[in-house]
PDB file of all heavy atoms in Angstrom:
ATOM      1  N   GLY A 278      -4.548 -10.488  -6.390  1.00  0.00           N
ATOM      2  CA  GLY A 278      -4.568  -9.143  -5.833  1.00  0.00           C
ATOM      3  C   GLY A 278      -3.604  -8.982  -4.667  1.00  0.00           C
ATOM      4  O   GLY A 278      -3.270  -9.950  -3.977  1.00  0.00           O
ATOM      5  N   VAL A 279      -3.175  -7.763  -4.491  1.00  0.00           N
ATOM      6  CA  VAL A 279      -2.346  -7.362  -3.348  1.00  0.00           C
ATOM      7  C   VAL A 279      -3.038  -6.192  -2.679  1.00  0.00           C
ATOM      8  O   VAL A 279      -3.345  -5.192  -3.342  1.00  0.00           O
ATOM      9  CB  VAL A 279      -0.926  -6.943  -3.791  1.00  0.00           C
ATOM     10  CG1 VAL A 279      -0.123  -6.424  -2.601  1.00  0.00           C
ATOM     11  CG2 VAL A 279      -0.199  -8.099  -4.463  1.00  0.00           C
ATOM     12  N   GLY A 280      -3.284  -6.300  -1.394  1.00  0.00           N
ATOM     13  CA  GLY A 280      -3.827  -5.197  -0.615  1.00  0.00           C
ATOM     14  C   GLY A 280      -2.842  -4.810   0.467  1.00  0.00           C
ATOM     15  O   GLY A 280      -2.373  -5.674   1.222  1.00  0.00           O
ATOM     16  N   VAL A 281      -2.494  -3.547   0.540  1.00  0.00           N
ATOM     17  CA  VAL A 281      -1.496  -3.073   1.508  1.00  0.00           C
ATOM     18  C   VAL A 281      -2.110  -1.995   2.385  1.00  0.00           C
ATOM     19  O   VAL A 281      -2.722  -1.045   1.881  1.00  0.00           O
ATOM     20  CB  VAL A 281      -0.244  -2.505   0.800  1.00  0.00           C
ATOM     21  CG1 VAL A 281       0.772  -2.011   1.836  1.00  0.00           C
ATOM     22  CG2 VAL A 281       0.381  -3.563  -0.103  1.00  0.00           C
ATOM     23  N   THR A 282      -1.944  -2.146   3.683  1.00  0.00           N
ATOM     24  CA  THR A 282      -2.392  -1.135   4.645  1.00  0.00           C
ATOM     25  C   THR A 282      -1.174  -0.580   5.373  1.00  0.00           C
ATOM     26  O   THR A 282      -0.366  -1.350   5.921  1.00  0.00           O
ATOM     27  CB  THR A 282      -3.377  -1.722   5.664  1.00  0.00           C
ATOM     28  OG1 THR A 282      -4.503  -2.253   4.972  1.00  0.00           O
ATOM     29  CG2 THR A 282      -3.846  -0.651   6.641  1.00  0.00           C
ATOM     30  N   VAL A 283      -1.025   0.723   5.358  1.00  0.00           N
ATOM     31  CA  VAL A 283       0.106   1.397   6.002  1.00  0.00           C
ATOM     32  C   VAL A 283      -0.403   2.243   7.149  1.00  0.00           C
ATOM     33  O   VAL A 283      -1.407   2.961   7.014  1.00  0.00           O
ATOM     34  CB  VAL A 283       0.872   2.280   4.991  1.00  0.00           C
ATOM     35  CG1 VAL A 283       1.861   3.197   5.698  1.00  0.00           C
ATOM     36  CG2 VAL A 283       1.595   1.403   3.974  1.00  0.00           C
ATOM     37  N   HIS A 284       0.255   2.141   8.294  1.00  0.00           N
ATOM     38  CA  HIS A 284      -0.096   2.944   9.476  1.00  0.00           C
ATOM     39  C   HIS A 284       1.048   3.906   9.781  1.00  0.00           C
ATOM     40  O   HIS A 284       2.217   3.518   9.842  1.00  0.00           O
ATOM     41  CB  HIS A 284      -0.335   2.047  10.688  1.00  0.00           C
ATOM     42  CG  HIS A 284      -1.509   1.137  10.539  1.00  0.00           C
ATOM     43  ND1 HIS A 284      -2.801   1.527  10.840  1.00  0.00           N
ATOM     44  CD2 HIS A 284      -1.600  -0.155  10.106  1.00  0.00           C
ATOM     45  CE1 HIS A 284      -3.631   0.520  10.605  1.00  0.00           C
ATOM     46  NE2 HIS A 284      -2.933  -0.506  10.163  1.00  0.00           N
ATOM     47  N   LEU A 285       0.693   5.170   9.951  1.00  0.00           N
ATOM     48  CA  LEU A 285       1.631   6.190  10.435  1.00  0.00           C
ATOM     49  C   LEU A 285       1.078   6.672  11.762  1.00  0.00           C
ATOM     50  O   LEU A 285       0.249   7.587  11.820  1.00  0.00           O
ATOM     51  CB  LEU A 285       1.738   7.350   9.439  1.00  0.00           C
ATOM     52  CG  LEU A 285       2.277   7.001   8.049  1.00  0.00           C
ATOM     53  CD1 LEU A 285       2.235   8.232   7.150  1.00  0.00           C
ATOM     54  CD2 LEU A 285       3.689   6.450   8.151  1.00  0.00           C
ATOM     55  N   GLY A 286       1.495   6.011  12.843  1.00  0.00           N
ATOM     56  CA  GLY A 286       0.863   6.301  14.130  1.00  0.00           C
ATOM     57  C   GLY A 286      -0.599   5.903  14.072  1.00  0.00           C
ATOM     58  O   GLY A 286      -0.924   4.737  13.814  1.00  0.00           O
ATOM     59  N   ARG A 287      -1.496   6.873  14.261  1.00  0.00           N
ATOM     60  CA  ARG A 287      -2.924   6.606  14.221  1.00  0.00           C
ATOM     61  C   ARG A 287      -3.547   6.996  12.886  1.00  0.00           C
ATOM     62  O   ARG A 287      -4.758   7.126  12.771  1.00  0.00           O
ATOM     63  CB  ARG A 287      -3.621   7.344  15.371  1.00  0.00           C
ATOM     64  CG  ARG A 287      -3.255   6.835  16.759  1.00  0.00           C
ATOM     65  CD  ARG A 287      -3.611   5.363  16.906  1.00  0.00           C
ATOM     66  NE  ARG A 287      -3.302   4.840  18.232  1.00  0.00           N
ATOM     67  CZ  ARG A 287      -3.507   3.579  18.603  1.00  0.00           C
ATOM     68  NH1 ARG A 287      -4.003   2.729  17.717  1.00  0.00           N
ATOM     69  NH2 ARG A 287      -3.193   3.172  19.819  1.00  0.00           N
ATOM     70  N   ARG A 288      -2.717   7.196  11.893  1.00  0.00           N
ATOM     71  CA  ARG A 288      -3.207   7.469  10.540  1.00  0.00           C
ATOM     72  C   ARG A 288      -3.101   6.183   9.713  1.00  0.00           C
ATOM     73  O   ARG A 288      -2.132   5.437   9.851  1.00  0.00           O
ATOM     74  CB  ARG A 288      -2.403   8.584   9.869  1.00  0.00           C
ATOM     75  CG  ARG A 288      -2.432   9.913  10.614  1.00  0.00           C
ATOM     76  CD  ARG A 288      -1.479  10.903   9.957  1.00  0.00           C
ATOM     77  NE  ARG A 288      -1.366  12.141  10.710  1.00  0.00           N
ATOM     78  CZ  ARG A 288      -2.111  13.220  10.499  1.00  0.00           C
ATOM     79  NH1 ARG A 288      -3.010  13.208   9.530  1.00  0.00           N
ATOM     80  NH2 ARG A 288      -1.947  14.315  11.221  1.00  0.00           N
ATOM     81  N   ARG A 289      -4.066   5.984   8.827  1.00  0.00           N
ATOM     82  CA  ARG A 289      -4.125   4.723   8.089  1.00  0.00           C
ATOM     83  C   ARG A 289      -4.382   4.985   6.611  1.00  0.00           C
ATOM     84  O   ARG A 289      -5.197   5.845   6.239  1.00  0.00           O
ATOM     85  CB  ARG A 289      -5.252   3.852   8.646  1.00  0.00           C
ATOM     86  CG  ARG A 289      -5.531   2.570   7.893  1.00  0.00           C
ATOM     87  CD  ARG A 289      -6.764   1.891   8.460  1.00  0.00           C
ATOM     88  NE  ARG A 289      -7.092   0.669   7.749  1.00  0.00           N
ATOM     89  CZ  ARG A 289      -7.800   0.601   6.644  1.00  0.00           C
ATOM     90  NH1 ARG A 289      -8.262   1.713   6.075  1.00  0.00           N
ATOM     91  NH2 ARG A 289      -8.061  -0.567   6.067  1.00  0.00           N
ATOM     92  N   GLY A 290      -3.687   4.243   5.741  1.00  0.00           N
ATOM     93  CA  GLY A 290      -3.918   4.318   4.309  1.00  0.00           C
ATOM     94  C   GLY A 290      -3.923   2.931   3.698  1.00  0.00           C
ATOM     95  O   GLY A 290      -3.213   2.031   4.165  1.00  0.00           O
ATOM     96  N   HIS A 291      -4.716   2.761   2.666  1.00  0.00           N
ATOM     97  CA  HIS A 291      -4.821   1.450   2.033  1.00  0.00           C
ATOM     98  C   HIS A 291      -4.798   1.614   0.518  1.00  0.00           C
ATOM     99  O   HIS A 291      -5.402   2.549  -0.024  1.00  0.00           O
ATOM    100  CB  HIS A 291      -6.108   0.738   2.450  1.00  0.00           C
ATOM    101  CG  HIS A 291      -6.273  -0.622   1.814  1.00  0.00           C
ATOM    102  ND1 HIS A 291      -5.672  -1.748   2.334  1.00  0.00           N
ATOM    103  CD2 HIS A 291      -6.962  -1.015   0.705  1.00  0.00           C
ATOM    104  CE1 HIS A 291      -5.986  -2.785   1.573  1.00  0.00           C
ATOM    105  NE2 HIS A 291      -6.751  -2.362   0.569  1.00  0.00           N
ATOM    106  N   ALA A 292      -4.129   0.699  -0.160  1.00  0.00           N
ATOM    107  CA  ALA A 292      -4.096   0.680  -1.628  1.00  0.00           C
ATOM    108  C   ALA A 292      -3.984  -0.763  -2.087  1.00  0.00           C
ATOM    109  O   ALA A 292      -3.559  -1.649  -1.329  1.00  0.00           O
ATOM    110  CB  ALA A 292      -2.926   1.504  -2.154  1.00  0.00           C
ATOM    111  N   SER A 293      -4.364  -1.008  -3.343  1.00  0.00           N
ATOM    112  CA  SER A 293      -4.339  -2.379  -3.854  1.00  0.00           C
ATOM    113  C   SER A 293      -3.942  -2.398  -5.324  1.00  0.00           C
ATOM    114  O   SER A 293      -4.010  -1.381  -6.028  1.00  0.00           O
ATOM    115  CB  SER A 293      -5.707  -3.043  -3.677  1.00  0.00           C
ATOM    116  OG  SER A 293      -6.694  -2.320  -4.402  1.00  0.00           O
ATOM    117  N   THR A 294      -3.538  -3.567  -5.781  1.00  0.00           N
ATOM    118  CA  THR A 294      -3.171  -3.770  -7.176  1.00  0.00           C
ATOM    119  C   THR A 294      -3.370  -5.231  -7.538  1.00  0.00           C
ATOM    120  O   THR A 294      -3.409  -6.104  -6.656  1.00  0.00           O
ATOM    121  CB  THR A 294      -1.698  -3.371  -7.420  1.00  0.00           C
ATOM    122  OG1 THR A 294      -1.381  -3.545  -8.804  1.00  0.00           O
ATOM    123  CG2 THR A 294      -0.743  -4.220  -6.605  1.00  0.00           C
ATOM    124  N   SER A 295      -3.480  -5.503  -8.840  1.00  0.00           N
ATOM    125  CA  SER A 295      -3.535  -6.884  -9.311  1.00  0.00           C
ATOM    126  C   SER A 295      -2.243  -7.276 -10.012  1.00  0.00           C
ATOM    127  O   SER A 295      -2.142  -8.351 -10.593  1.00  0.00           O
ATOM    128  CB  SER A 295      -4.717  -7.070 -10.271  1.00  0.00           C
ATOM    129  OG  SER A 295      -4.602  -6.192 -11.380  1.00  0.00           O
ATOM    130  N   ASP A 296      -1.254  -6.405  -9.915  1.00  0.00           N
ATOM    131  CA  ASP A 296       0.038  -6.615 -10.571  1.00  0.00           C
ATOM    132  C   ASP A 296       1.064  -7.025  -9.517  1.00  0.00           C
ATOM    133  O   ASP A 296       1.298  -6.284  -8.552  1.00  0.00           O
ATOM    134  CB  ASP A 296       0.457  -5.318 -11.272  1.00  0.00           C
ATOM    135  CG  ASP A 296       1.707  -5.477 -12.129  1.00  0.00           C
ATOM    136  OD1 ASP A 296       2.428  -6.487 -11.968  1.00  0.00           O
ATOM    137  OD2 ASP A 296       1.960  -4.584 -12.952  1.00  0.00           O
ATOM    138  N   PHE A 297       1.671  -8.183  -9.677  1.00  0.00           N
ATOM    139  CA  PHE A 297       2.643  -8.691  -8.696  1.00  0.00           C
ATOM    140  C   PHE A 297       4.084  -8.279  -9.015  1.00  0.00           C
ATOM    141  O   PHE A 297       5.016  -8.704  -8.335  1.00  0.00           O
ATOM    142  CB  PHE A 297       2.576 -10.222  -8.631  1.00  0.00           C
ATOM    143  CG  PHE A 297       1.387 -10.760  -7.867  1.00  0.00           C
ATOM    144  CD1 PHE A 297       0.357  -9.940  -7.456  1.00  0.00           C
ATOM    145  CD2 PHE A 297       1.311 -12.111  -7.550  1.00  0.00           C
ATOM    146  CE1 PHE A 297      -0.737 -10.447  -6.757  1.00  0.00           C
ATOM    147  CE2 PHE A 297       0.230 -12.629  -6.855  1.00  0.00           C
ATOM    148  CZ  PHE A 297      -0.803 -11.798  -6.458  1.00  0.00           C
ATOM    149  N   SER A 298       4.294  -7.461 -10.023  1.00  0.00           N
ATOM    150  CA  SER A 298       5.664  -7.065 -10.369  1.00  0.00           C
ATOM    151  C   SER A 298       6.231  -6.127  -9.310  1.00  0.00           C
ATOM    152  O   SER A 298       5.495  -5.438  -8.606  1.00  0.00           O
ATOM    153  CB  SER A 298       5.692  -6.371 -11.729  1.00  0.00           C
ATOM    154  OG  SER A 298       5.041  -5.114 -11.672  1.00  0.00           O
ATOM    155  N   ALA A 299       7.569  -6.085  -9.217  1.00  0.00           N
ATOM    156  CA  ALA A 299       8.235  -5.257  -8.211  1.00  0.00           C
ATOM    157  C   ALA A 299       7.870  -3.776  -8.331  1.00  0.00           C
ATOM    158  O   ALA A 299       7.585  -3.115  -7.324  1.00  0.00           O
ATOM    159  CB  ALA A 299       9.739  -5.449  -8.283  1.00  0.00           C
ATOM    160  N   PRO A 300       7.855  -3.187  -9.535  1.00  0.00           N
ATOM    161  CA  PRO A 300       7.480  -1.770  -9.633  1.00  0.00           C
ATOM    162  C   PRO A 300       6.044  -1.511  -9.167  1.00  0.00           C
ATOM    163  O   PRO A 300       5.772  -0.493  -8.520  1.00  0.00           O
ATOM    164  CB  PRO A 300       7.640  -1.463 -11.132  1.00  0.00           C
ATOM    165  CG  PRO A 300       8.613  -2.474 -11.626  1.00  0.00           C
ATOM    166  CD  PRO A 300       8.329  -3.706 -10.836  1.00  0.00           C
ATOM    167  N   ALA A 301       5.124  -2.436  -9.500  1.00  0.00           N
ATOM    168  CA  ALA A 301       3.732  -2.245  -9.089  1.00  0.00           C
ATOM    169  C   ALA A 301       3.583  -2.342  -7.574  1.00  0.00           C
ATOM    170  O   ALA A 301       2.812  -1.589  -6.964  1.00  0.00           O
ATOM    171  CB  ALA A 301       2.841  -3.282  -9.773  1.00  0.00           C
ATOM    172  N   LEU A 302       4.327  -3.265  -6.946  1.00  0.00           N
ATOM    173  CA  LEU A 302       4.275  -3.386  -5.489  1.00  0.00           C
ATOM    174  C   LEU A 302       4.783  -2.104  -4.829  1.00  0.00           C
ATOM    175  O   LEU A 302       4.182  -1.602  -3.870  1.00  0.00           O
ATOM    176  CB  LEU A 302       5.101  -4.586  -5.027  1.00  0.00           C
ATOM    177  CG  LEU A 302       4.633  -5.965  -5.479  1.00  0.00           C
ATOM    178  CD1 LEU A 302       5.577  -7.046  -4.959  1.00  0.00           C
ATOM    179  CD2 LEU A 302       3.209  -6.243  -5.014  1.00  0.00           C
ATOM    180  N   ALA A 303       5.895  -1.576  -5.344  1.00  0.00           N
ATOM    181  CA  ALA A 303       6.448  -0.339  -4.783  1.00  0.00           C
ATOM    182  C   ALA A 303       5.468   0.817  -4.939  1.00  0.00           C
ATOM    183  O   ALA A 303       5.289   1.636  -4.022  1.00  0.00           O
ATOM    184  CB  ALA A 303       7.775  -0.009  -5.469  1.00  0.00           C
ATOM    185  N   GLN A 304       4.837   0.881  -6.098  1.00  0.00           N
ATOM    186  CA  GLN A 304       3.867   1.951  -6.352  1.00  0.00           C
ATOM    187  C   GLN A 304       2.656   1.830  -5.432  1.00  0.00           C
ATOM    188  O   GLN A 304       2.132   2.837  -4.934  1.00  0.00           O
ATOM    189  CB  GLN A 304       3.427   1.883  -7.816  1.00  0.00           C
ATOM    190  CG  GLN A 304       2.711   3.115  -8.313  1.00  0.00           C
ATOM    191  CD  GLN A 304       2.485   3.042  -9.817  1.00  0.00           C
ATOM    192  OE1 GLN A 304       2.121   2.008 -10.354  1.00  0.00           O
ATOM    193  NE2 GLN A 304       2.717   4.153 -10.504  1.00  0.00           N
ATOM    194  N   THR A 305       2.206   0.611  -5.167  1.00  0.00           N
ATOM    195  CA  THR A 305       1.037   0.386  -4.307  1.00  0.00           C
ATOM    196  C   THR A 305       1.342   0.751  -2.863  1.00  0.00           C
ATOM    197  O   THR A 305       0.542   1.419  -2.192  1.00  0.00           O
ATOM    198  CB  THR A 305       0.602  -1.087  -4.397  1.00  0.00           C
ATOM    199  OG1 THR A 305       0.306  -1.403  -5.756  1.00  0.00           O
ATOM    200  CG2 THR A 305      -0.628  -1.334  -3.537  1.00  0.00           C
ATOM    201  N   VAL A 306       2.503   0.330  -2.367  1.00  0.00           N
ATOM    202  CA  VAL A 306       2.888   0.684  -1.001  1.00  0.00           C
ATOM    203  C   VAL A 306       3.032   2.197  -0.866  1.00  0.00           C
ATOM    204  O   VAL A 306       2.592   2.799   0.135  1.00  0.00           O
ATOM    205  CB  VAL A 306       4.202  -0.023  -0.609  1.00  0.00           C
ATOM    206  CG1 VAL A 306       4.671   0.458   0.772  1.00  0.00           C
ATOM    207  CG2 VAL A 306       4.009  -1.536  -0.605  1.00  0.00           C
ATOM    208  N   ALA A 307       3.617   2.851  -1.870  1.00  0.00           N
ATOM    209  CA  ALA A 307       3.768   4.304  -1.837  1.00  0.00           C
ATOM    210  C   ALA A 307       2.411   4.992  -1.824  1.00  0.00           C
ATOM    211  O   ALA A 307       2.214   6.005  -1.120  1.00  0.00           O
ATOM    212  CB  ALA A 307       4.587   4.769  -3.038  1.00  0.00           C
ATOM    213  N   ALA A 308       1.449   4.449  -2.579  1.00  0.00           N
ATOM    214  CA  ALA A 308       0.106   5.034  -2.598  1.00  0.00           C
ATOM    215  C   ALA A 308      -0.555   4.920  -1.235  1.00  0.00           C
ATOM    216  O   ALA A 308      -1.183   5.875  -0.745  1.00  0.00           O
ATOM    217  CB  ALA A 308      -0.740   4.344  -3.661  1.00  0.00           C
ATOM    218  N   ALA A 309      -0.405   3.751  -0.589  1.00  0.00           N
ATOM    219  CA  ALA A 309      -0.985   3.582   0.752  1.00  0.00           C
ATOM    220  C   ALA A 309      -0.320   4.529   1.744  1.00  0.00           C
ATOM    221  O   ALA A 309      -0.991   5.104   2.621  1.00  0.00           O
ATOM    222  CB  ALA A 309      -0.814   2.127   1.205  1.00  0.00           C
ATOM    223  N   TYR A 310       0.989   4.706   1.606  1.00  0.00           N
ATOM    224  CA  TYR A 310       1.717   5.618   2.493  1.00  0.00           C
ATOM    225  C   TYR A 310       1.224   7.054   2.324  1.00  0.00           C
ATOM    226  O   TYR A 310       0.998   7.773   3.316  1.00  0.00           O
ATOM    227  CB  TYR A 310       3.214   5.528   2.178  1.00  0.00           C
ATOM    228  CG  TYR A 310       4.085   6.395   3.048  1.00  0.00           C
ATOM    229  CD1 TYR A 310       4.533   5.944   4.283  1.00  0.00           C
ATOM    230  CD2 TYR A 310       4.455   7.679   2.633  1.00  0.00           C
ATOM    231  CE1 TYR A 310       5.332   6.748   5.092  1.00  0.00           C
ATOM    232  CE2 TYR A 310       5.254   8.480   3.428  1.00  0.00           C
ATOM    233  CZ  TYR A 310       5.686   8.011   4.657  1.00  0.00           C
ATOM    234  OH  TYR A 310       6.467   8.813   5.459  1.00  0.00           O
TER     235      TYR A 310
END
């Protein structure tokens, strides 16, 4: 699993995936953002 937490100042978002491929990582980070 990959869990990503993104902070925009005092705003927070989190998303996760079980796919380690580059497209899945980009999609997960974008979802957290």
Side-chain angles (χ1 to χ4, degrees):
V279 175
V281 180
T282 301
V283 168
H284 295 275
L285 298 176
R287 293 301 181 181
R288 301 174 186 268
R289 174 186 179 275
H291 180 83
S293 61
T294 182
S295 59
D296 187 344
F297 284 10
S298 68
L302 296 179
Q304 195 172 42
T305 302
V306 175
Y310 181 86

